[in-house]
Amino acid sequence: MTGTSETVRIVLLEDDAPLRERFAGILDAWGGGELVAACATLEQALTALDQHPVDLLMADLNLPDGHGIEAIRRLRQRHPDADAMVISVLADDETVLAAIEAGAVGYLLKDADSIELVEAIEELRAGCSPISSSIARILVRRMNKPAEDPGGPALTPREMEILRGIAKGFTYTELAEWLGISRQTVPVHIKNIYRKLAANNRSEAVYEASKRGLLRL
């Protein structure tokens, strides 16, 4: 996503009417975003993604006519520079990992209040990956599994330190302070990590690193 001063065009996908209205109200009240569509079904969301410019998809997963992961995949196809954030009650390992593999860069459980919801969007715009604590535990468990295939270019010791910080959800500034390095060098290291792991964002980097057994937290 581009600069933080730009209005974020959002597609909301939530089949529960009261929740959809609550989330829509939060987004309407937030001056930084424009709610392009509030969808109750997968079909409505796919249509909205095909017909409108979109910067952010906020998607439930368990829908009456399909799965929200299909909307995330459509977003990747139609709007490759946009972000996807899951807001769901589903928190089993396979669902979480499938959503991240499909392209989700954030994953919140449906207990976020208005401040947390807006903060999550702001974190996404800043290049972070907001996730609920229980979702983070799923990723940590997966990281601690034995390596399946450690192939690919090796990460340097500094890149491994940065990768561990990414997995903990650190911001660029926090990474710089934690490691005692310049704030400006952090994105350079992260870019190299993404290239070596064939990842496009933090969530994909953590997921790929966990598959390769690179992290032991």
Side-chain angles (χ1 to χ4, degrees), residues 9-199:
R9 296 163 295 190
I10 303 169
V11 168
L12 171 65
L13 173 55
E14 170 59 63
D15 69 313
D16 182 86
L19 272 178
R20 185 172 63 254
E21 292 173 5
R22 182 166 76 89
F23 290 150
I26 292 169
L27 297 174
D28 284 335
W30 177 51
E34 173 192 352
L35 185 57
V36 173
C39 306
T41 66
L42 176 61
E43 181 180 3
Q44 291 175 359
L46 296 180
T47 299
L49 293 174
D50 288 343
Q51 294 181 349
H52 300 285
V54 178
D55 299 309
L56 173 63
L57 168 67
M58 304 179 67
D60 190 8
L61 296 180
N62 192 15
L63 303 166
D65 61 337
H67 202 286
I69 287 177
E70 293 303 318
I72 297 173
R73 290 174 179 150
R74 181 67 64 88
L75 180 77
R76 294 269 69 80
Q77 295 170 357
R78 298 291 190 181
H79 311 281
D81 294 328
D83 290 323
M85 180 164 62
V86 172
I87 302 181
S88 178
V89 296
L90 300 178
D92 61 280
D93 291 23
E94 293 307 315
T95 297
V96 171
L97 294 171
I100 292 174
E101 190 171 34
V105 294
Y107 201 119
L108 299 179
L109 297 181
K110 288 183 179 177
D111 56 2
D113 62 23
S114 59
I115 296 176
E116 292 171 335
L117 191 63
V118 170
E119 285 181 348
I121 298 174
E122 294 285 6
E123 287 181 23
L124 280 175
R125 299 176 76 202
C128 301
S129 295
I131 56 176
S132 296
S133 58
S134 58
I135 304 302
R137 285 194 291 272
I138 291 174
L139 296 178
V140 170
R141 285 201 301 269
R142 178 57 65 97
M143 290 171 198
N144 287 326
K145 288 187 176 180
E148 296 178 1
D149 180 6
L155 299 182
T156 67
R158 176 64 79 196
E159 289 167 353
M160 283 300 305
E161 290 177 323
I162 296 279
L163 181 61
R164 293 188 186 99
I166 289 174
K168 294 176 183 293
F170 287 2
T171 65
Y172 287 3
T173 299
E174 289 169 338
L175 284 169
E177 293 176 352
W178 180 46
L179 298 174
I181 60 178
S182 168
R183 165 66 172 75
Q184 287 70 33
T185 65
V186 173
V188 177
H189 289 302
I190 290 180
K191 182 178 180 181
N192 289 333
I193 292 170
Y194 288 178
R195 175 178 55 81
K196 291 180 178 181
L197 296 179

